[in-house]
Amino acid sequence: MTREISEVTRAKHGRPARHWRQQVSELAAGFHTWWSRRHGQAPPVSHTDARPLPAGQQAGPSQGSSATPHAAAGERMLWRVRTTVQDEPGSLAALCTALAGRRVDILSLQTHPLADGTVDEFLLRAPAELAATELTRTVSLAGGTDAWVERADAHDLVDAPTRVLGLAARMALDAAELPLALRQLLGRCTIRSLPATPVGGGRAPQAVPVEGVLEDTVMRLRAPEGGVITVERPYLRFTPTEFARARALVELDTRLGPRVPHSQYVLTLPEGNAITVRRADAGDHEAAKAMHDRCSSRTLSMRYHGPVGDADRYLNHLLSPRFGRTLAVHTTSGRIVGLGHLLWDGDETEVALLVEDDWQQRGIGTELLGRLVAMAVEAGCESVYAVTQASNTGMVAAMRGLGLPLDYQIEEGTLVITARLDTVPVASTRSHEAPQERSGERIARD
C-alpha cells in the first residue's frame, strides 16, 4: 500500500489519493505517487485503535485465530465482542447462557438499538485456551449475527460514561484532541479533517448538513470551523447511538471554540540564550509569516519542498489545532524563530520542522522534534514520519538522535524517514506535560 502524507506536504507534491485528495493533486506538478510505503497505522491510536491486531487476538469477518500461544493453565483473557441479536424476549438471555457454558464472564454490556434488532457490545473475561474463532462460533450458534471479536486490555474496564467524561475533559483543554477523542470513542477507525478551503486552493469538500450524514461504515460531520470531518471504519457499520455520541462531541468542540494549552517551557541554549517553547495557534500567524520572511530560500525549500513563494499560504492550516499540534520557539523579545508541527494524517502522523537560519545548529530542531515525538507517544501513535530532502543532514541527524528504530525510503532526492514508537520507549524525549525541572531548563505555566 502507499503511504499518504499530510495536507500541506501533499499539496506541495501533488499526491493523489481518495476523494478530496485528488483536488489538491491538481495544483502541483512534477511529482506523482513518488513513494510506496507500508501503511503503518498511526495517529493517533489507543487501545481502541485502527491498527491490525496480531494473529490470535482478532477474529472479524473472514478472519480466524487460534488460542493464545503458551497460555498458562487457568489464565483468563479480556475480549471485546460485538454482535447483532434479534430484538425479542429471550434472545439476549440465550447468548448469555451460551457464554456461561464456555466459562466466559460478562464484565460489561452496551446496547445499540436498531430498527430491526440490537447491537450488543460485551466486555468478556474468557479462559485463555478459548480461541477467538471459538468465541465467535459460540456467539453465532446462540443467535448473534455479524459478530466481531477482538482482544481487550485493562483500559476497557473503564465504564463508558467515565471514559466519555474523560475524553470531554481533555478536549475542553485542547482543540487538537477532537480526532483523538473520536477515535477512542468509536474504536478502530480512520478520521480525516477536510478544511472548508483546501490548502493550495481547489474545490471545497461537499457540504454536510448540520445534523451530519451516516452511511453504514462512514459518517460525515460538519467541522466546527465549517469544514468536514469524515470517520470511516472497515467492516463494522456505525450505529445511530455511535453517530449521536460523535455528533455530541463535535457540538461540544464547536461551543468551546478555538483553544490550546497555555503551558510554556524556557530553555537555556548552550551559548546562554534563553528561548521559550510553547503551543502555537492561529494568533501566531503574523509572527510566523515574519519568520518566513527572514528565512533563506534554501531553508524554506527544505521545509516546504516547492516554490518558496507558496510557503505563507500554508500557515493557516499548519497553525490550526484542528489538523494537529504546533510548537513555536520564540526569543525573549517575542520573535518566533522556530516552528515544529505534529500533523494528523488520517491513520498516520507527520512531523515537520522549520528553524530560522540564524538560529540553526543550536539544538532547537532537536528540542522541537523531541517534544513532538513525546506528544505523539502520549497520543498513542505507533510511528511518525518526516518528509525531507536527502541533502537535509540536519533533519536526518535529528531523527537519528531520537534513538528509535528508523525506516528510510528515498526517490528522486526526496527522503521519507519513519520512526517507530511502539518498540522502544522514548526516554530521551521530553513530555510536553512534564512538571519537573531539567538541568538548564525552567518551566513556566500561565
Side-chain angles (χ1 to χ4, degrees):
M1 302 181 73
T2 57
R3 160 156 283 178
E4 295 168 350
I5 56 181
S6 72
E7 173 79 354
V8 171
T9 304
R10 185 179 297 107
K12 300 306 298 181
H13 291 281
R15 169 72 172 165
R18 314 177 190 89
H19 308 305
W20 63 278
R21 301 188 178 204
Q22 295 176 354
Q23 303 165 5
V24 178
S25 66
E26 297 171 357
L27 303 172
F31 285 91
H32 297 279
T33 316
W34 44 273
W35 80 74
S36 176
R37 307 176 52 78
R38 63 174 178 80
H39 191 67
Q41 303 290 339
V45 295
S46 68
H47 62 282
T48 55
D49 58 24
R51 61 183 181 270
L53 294 170
Q57 295 187 9
Q58 174 177 314
S62 303
Q63 294 181 341
S65 63
S66 58
T68 303
H70 312 299
E75 185 179 356
R76 300 180 72 78
M77 311 298 291
L78 294 175
W79 296 91
R80 293 175 63 218
V81 176
R82 182 184 176 106
T83 187
T84 302
V85 299
Q86 293 296 317
D87 189 11
E88 57 186 33
S91 58
L92 178 59
L95 179 54
C96 294
T97 300
L99 292 172
R102 302 303 299 265
R103 297 187 298 119
V104 175
D105 299 329
I106 299 176
L107 303 180
S108 68
L109 168 64
Q110 292 188 62
T111 60
H112 302 252
L114 303 175
D116 55 351
T118 302
V119 173
D120 289 331
E121 191 168 344
F122 298 88
L123 177 62
L124 306 176
R125 183 185 288 120
E129 61 270 18
L130 183 63
T133 48
E134 286 300 308
L135 193 53
T136 303
R137 183 171 182 271
T138 300
V139 171
S140 298
L141 292 176
T145 59
D146 299 325
W148 182 274
V149 179
E150 65 180 354
R151 280 285 302 277
D153 61 26
H155 294 88
D156 292 290
L157 294 172
V158 179
D159 64 277
T162 301
R163 187 190 314 158
V164 171
L165 287 173
L167 295 177
R170 289 180 56 183
M171 200 177 67
L173 299 175
D174 189 350
E177 290 284 331
L178 177 60
L180 309 182
L182 286 171
R183 171 161 288 142
Q184 293 187 16
L185 176 71
L186 300 171
R188 47 183 71 237
C189 57
T190 298
I191 299 172
R192 293 184 175 87
S193 295
L194 315 181
T197 303
V199 176
R203 296 187 300 273
Q206 182 180 353
V208 174
V210 175
E211 63 274 13
V213 176
L214 174 60
E215 299 171 338
D216 293 330
T217 60
V218 179
M219 65 172 73
R220 295 189 297 134
L221 305 165
R222 179 179 291 184
E225 70 287 345
V228 177
I229 298 172
T230 65
V231 186
E232 301 179 51
R233 183 169 65 189
Y235 303 119
L236 294 179
R237 292 182 300 171
F238 291 111
T239 65
T241 300
E242 290 173 312
F243 185 48
R245 291 173 179 173
R247 285 174 52 192
L249 270 185
V250 174
E251 182 179 352
L252 173 61
D253 184 86
T254 302
R255 290 179 177 274
L256 292 172
R259 63 212 177 276
V260 296
H262 296 295
S263 59
Q264 60 183 22
Y265 306 79
V266 179
L267 177 70
T268 302
L269 298 177
E271 68 270 21
N273 292 327
I275 59 170
T276 300
V277 183
R278 60 171 177 80
R279 285 284 298 278
D281 59 16
D284 295 295
H285 183 276
E286 290 304 315
K289 184 177 181 299
M291 185 189 73
H292 276 179
D293 295 338
R294 295 190 300 270
C295 288
S296 67
S297 297
R298 182 180 185 276
T299 292
L300 292 176
S301 177
M302 286 284 189
R303 166 62 185 92
Y304 293 105
H305 318 289
V308 296
D310 292 342
D312 291 347
R313 64 198 234 178
Y314 297 105
L315 284 175
N316 285 333
H317 181 92
L318 293 171
L319 294 173
S320 170
R322 191 67 56 213
F323 307 104
R325 296 171 178 168
T326 293
L327 293 176
V329 176
H330 61 82
T331 64
T332 53
S333 64
R335 188 173 69 178
I336 291 181
V337 297
L339 291 171
H341 307 286
L342 186 72
L343 301 171
W344 307 147
D345 179 26
D347 293 333
E348 300 181 332
T349 306
E350 181 182 3
V351 289
L353 303 175
L354 176 65
V355 179
E356 187 178 327
D357 294 64
D358 292 342
W359 290 83
Q360 294 175 9
Q361 305 299 321
R362 303 190 190 188
I364 292 177
T366 300
E367 177 72 18
L368 282 174
L369 184 60
R371 292 190 182 278
L372 293 173
V373 170
M375 288 180 177
V377 171
E378 189 270 339
C381 303
E382 281 190 339
S383 65
V384 296
Y385 70 93
V387 180
T388 185
Q389 298 177 25
S391 59
N392 191 347
T393 56
M395 187 64 178
V396 174
M399 292 293 287
R400 287 176 176 169
L402 293 171
L404 296 168
L406 300 179
D407 296 327
Y408 300 86
Q409 294 202 12
I410 185 170
E411 184 174 335
E412 298 181 0
T414 298
L415 177 65
V416 181
I417 310 174
T418 301
R420 300 201 311 275
L421 311 180
D422 58 335
T423 56
V424 180
V426 193
S428 61
T429 60
R430 294 87 164 174
S431 170
H432 65 293
E433 301 271 342
Q436 69 272 13
E437 289 190 6
R438 296 198 338 270
S439 176
E441 178 181 12
R442 71 183 161 80
I443 300 173
R445 296 183 182 273
D446 295 346

